[in-house]
């Protein structure tokens, strides 16, 4: 029973992020985070796992943080993705429209979150976990996009 706006959110935001990713790759020739991407991933994995374990009773926090930590770990150890520096830069840029759209959806409120299932920390009206949920969502789409691009 999600409203149309929420369904569109799951289509428009990933598409927009892939577009931003390609625009960033086109205009920013140097991968400025290339040399730091492993350390960024390791720091995020440690933060996410620690927070998830300490909040295992908060389902949204736990599952969002565990899944993102595992996906980052897979990128780090299995995929050894060479585009993670570019992904992190794109993710930072994507946070602007992501926070604006999500801010509208949570302020109206089109989407209501149960604070018993998250940390209760908000960025305006947006649960803190949504930043990492957004990262997981965008990374999944970029991963598939890069796989398809390399396959072609």
């Amino acid at each position: 029973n999600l409203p149309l706006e929420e369904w569109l959110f799951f289509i428009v935001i990933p598409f927009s992020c892939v577009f931003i990713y390609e625009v960033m790759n086109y205009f920013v020739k140097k991968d400025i985070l290339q040399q730091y991407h492993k350390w960024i991933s390791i720091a995020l994995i440690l933060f996410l796992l620690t927070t998830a374990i300490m909040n295992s009773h908060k389902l949204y926090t736990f599952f969002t943080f565990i899944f993102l930590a595992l996906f980052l770990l897979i990128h780090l150890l299995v995929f050894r993705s060479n585009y993670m520096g570019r992904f992190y830069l794109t993710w930072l840029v994507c946070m602007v429209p992501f926070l604006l759209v999500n801010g509208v959806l949570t302020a109206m409120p089109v989407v209501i979150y149960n604070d018993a299932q998250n940390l209760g920390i908000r960025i305006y009206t947006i649960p803190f976990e949504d930043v990492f949920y957004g990262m997981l969502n965008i990374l999944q789409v970029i991963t598939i996009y890069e796989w398809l691009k390399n396959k072609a």
Side-chain angles (χ1 to χ4, degrees):
N1 290 330
L2 287 176
L4 176 63
E5 294 88 347
E6 188 70 6
W7 284 106
L8 290 175
F9 177 85
F10 289 110
I11 296 168
V12 172
I13 295 298
F15 174 81
S16 300
C17 292
V18 169
F19 178 75
I20 292 170
Y21 179 74
E22 274 302 312
V23 168
M24 296 287 294
N25 287 340
Y26 182 80
F27 286 109
V28 181
K29 299 295 182 198
K30 184 176 185 210
D31 185 354
I32 59 177
L33 296 178
Q34 171 63 28
Q35 60 186 351
Y36 307 109
H37 79 88
K38 289 180 184 174
W39 293 109
I40 294 169
S41 294
I42 291 168
L44 278 169
I45 291 166
L46 291 173
F47 166 75
L48 293 164
L49 288 176
T50 302
T51 307
I53 291 166
M54 291 174 56
N55 295 281
S56 60
H57 58 288
K58 297 178 182 277
L59 296 181
Y60 184 49
T61 303
F62 179 76
F63 285 111
T64 299
F65 285 23
I66 285 291
F67 287 144
L68 178 55
L70 290 174
F71 202 47
L72 288 171
L73 195 59
I74 290 168
H75 269 276
L76 194 62
L77 301 177
V78 179
F79 298 160
R80 299 182 187 271
S81 306
N82 62 350
Y83 54 84
M84 289 302 288
R86 292 191 172 278
F87 164 74
Y88 285 128
L89 184 61
T90 299
W91 176 72
L92 288 172
V93 172
C94 285
M95 280 299 95
V96 175
F98 179 83
L99 292 172
L100 287 172
V101 171
N102 205 4
V104 169
L105 292 174
T106 55
M108 289 176 74
V110 173
V111 180
I112 300 170
Y113 291 87
N114 179 355
D115 281 343
Q117 299 302 322
N118 62 46
L119 295 173
I121 301 169
R122 301 275 176 153
I123 303 167
Y124 178 53
T125 59
I126 305 164
F128 178 65
E129 290 83 351
D130 273 13
V131 172
F132 299 100
Y133 175 81
M135 178 184 266
L136 177 59
N137 187 5
I138 296 163
L139 183 55
Q140 290 172 355
V141 173
I142 296 296
T143 301
I144 293 167
Y145 174 73
E146 283 289 344
W147 179 75
L148 290 171
K149 197 166 78 169
N150 288 332
K151 193 174 178 183

